[in-house]
């Protein structure tokens, strides 16, 4: 028996998120089906991040166990011949049987992309959130600095989330302008349900002048969801990468930038 880790990229537009759903097809369902067909044995992947419906990924992580003799680094080639074109394996490798992507320390990086033009661009409609309101990225960056460090992010968590603690650690958060697009890039040790999208919605309110940058600190202290901005739409969000300190060896470390 061996455990194989996959780096999975996908366009989330046509899927009901990562996790198996009774009301629609999911990324997990497609991976399970293709692996089961390939290996002729029942396979159920374990995903590192259960992204929501419409959210995209460049570097989500999944692991599965198999008796197959296929080398770990060859699974990406075999799977990509079976997967639909909006899901691709960007890399595969064997990892220790004890490795679990949700039960080990990790650094997770997201990007939220905002199209800030006078009119929507149909070519970018599936991968960014459009707003015609002018956004000041300098003020957004000032506000983002208050999020860095260990804080109670209850104000930035969906009210329906069931978690033991709402304390999380953010390592970096910055806003960059790329032409008429703004990109919020945030890295942390873990995120609450809808946390990144609520942060994005709040920073956009800072950018359009509704809140001053220092209001982000007050929102954190409030520990109340109604204190923060709206939850930004899923289509602007992409899971960029995972890093696992447990996989320290250069041959096992997973880092997609």
């Amino acid at each position: 028996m061996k455990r194989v880790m996959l780096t999975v990229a996908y366009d989330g537009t046509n899927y009901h998120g990562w996790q198996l759903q009774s009301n629609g097809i999911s990324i997990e369902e497609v991976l399970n089906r293709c692996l089961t067909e390939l290996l002729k044995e029942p396979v159920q992947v374990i995903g590192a991040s259960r992204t929501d419906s419409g959210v995209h990924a460049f570097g989500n992580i999944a692991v599965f166990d198999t008796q197959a003799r296929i080398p770990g680094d060859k699974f990406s080639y075999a799977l990509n011949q079976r997967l639909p074109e909006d899901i691709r394996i960007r890399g595969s490798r064997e990892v220790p049987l004890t490795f679990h992507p949700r039960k080990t320390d990790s650094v997770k990086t997201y990007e939220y992309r905002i199209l800030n033009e006078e009119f929507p661009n149909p070519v970018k409609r599936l991968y960014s959130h459009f707003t015609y309101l002018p956004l000041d990225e300098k003020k957004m960056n000032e506000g983002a600095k208050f999020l860095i460090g260990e804080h109670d992010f209850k104000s930035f968590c969906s009210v329906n989330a069931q978690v033991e603690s709402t304390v999380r650690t953010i390592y970096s958060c910055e806003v960059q302008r790329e032409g008429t697009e703004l990109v919020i890039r945030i890295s942390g040790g873990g995120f609450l349900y809808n946390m990144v999208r609520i942060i994005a919605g709040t920073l956009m309110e800072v950018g359009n002048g509704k809140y001053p940058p220092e209001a982000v600190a007050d929102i954190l202290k409030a520990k109340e969801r109604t204190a923060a901005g709206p939850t930004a739409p899923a289509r602007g969000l992409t899971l960029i990468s995972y890093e696992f300190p447990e996989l320290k060896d250069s041959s096992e470390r997973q880092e997609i930038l």
Side-chain angles (χ1 to χ4, degrees), residues 161-209:
Q162 296 180 350
V163 291
E164 294 181 3
S165 172
T166 49
V167 175
R168 295 291 185 273
T169 301
I170 298 300
Y171 302 122
S172 64
C173 185
E174 61 182 6
V175 183
Q176 296 181 338
R177 180 174 287 277
E178 298 177 359
T180 58
E181 290 187 316
L182 274 71
V183 181
I184 301 170
R185 187 178 179 95
I186 183 168
S187 296
F191 295 90
L192 299 163
Y193 184 55
N194 282 342
M195 178 172 160
V196 178
R197 289 165 60 190
I198 296 170
I199 286 174
T202 302
L203 291 179
M204 281 190 277
E205 300 280 60
V206 171
N208 66 31

Side-chain angles (χ1 to χ4, degrees), residues 21-170:
Q21 302 288 335
S22 59
N23 63 339
I25 191 169
S26 68
I27 304 295
E28 185 177 18
E29 177 184 341
V30 175
L31 289 174
N32 287 345
R33 183 179 69 243
C34 290
L35 280 165
T36 297
E37 291 173 354
L38 172 67
L39 301 175
K40 304 297 190 287
E41 61 181 6
V43 175
Q44 290 188 328
V45 300
I46 300 170
S49 180
R50 298 168 178 172
T51 53
D52 290 339
S53 178
V55 173
H56 314 294
F58 185 69
N60 203 351
I61 298 297
V63 299
F64 66 94
D65 296 333
T66 181
Q67 301 277 6
R69 296 182 179 180
I70 301 173
D73 62 346
K74 300 302 182 183
F75 276 93
S76 53
Y77 298 95
L79 272 175
N80 283 336
Q81 294 180 15
R82 296 172 176 268
L83 288 166
E85 63 182 3
D86 52 3
I87 304 176
R88 280 294 177 267
I89 307 304
R90 301 189 58 246
S92 61
R93 64 186 67 190
E94 187 173 349
V95 293
L97 280 168
T98 55
F99 175 75
H100 191 298
R102 295 202 302 270
K103 296 181 180 179
T104 185
D105 291 338
S106 65
V107 178
K108 188 176 180 181
T109 300
Y110 278 103
E111 283 186 357
Y112 195 88
R113 193 166 289 269
I114 305 157
L115 180 63
N116 194 200
E117 296 182 353
E118 185 176 2
F119 301 108
N121 185 334
V123 175
K124 298 182 178 182
R125 74 190 189 283
L126 301 179
Y127 311 105
S128 62
H129 168 60
F130 166 76
T131 178
Y132 64 87
L133 296 173
L135 297 177
D136 185 330
E137 68 271 21
K138 292 182 180 179
K139 290 183 178 179
M140 293 171 71
N141 260 315
E142 289 176 27
K145 291 177 181 178
F146 292 101
L147 300 170
I148 298 172
E150 183 180 87
H151 303 286
D152 187 334
F153 284 92
K154 188 173 182 179
S155 293
F156 295 91
C157 178
S158 172
V159 293
N160 298 320
Q162 296 180 350
V163 291
E164 294 181 3
S165 172
T166 49
V167 175
R168 295 291 185 273
T169 301
I170 298 300

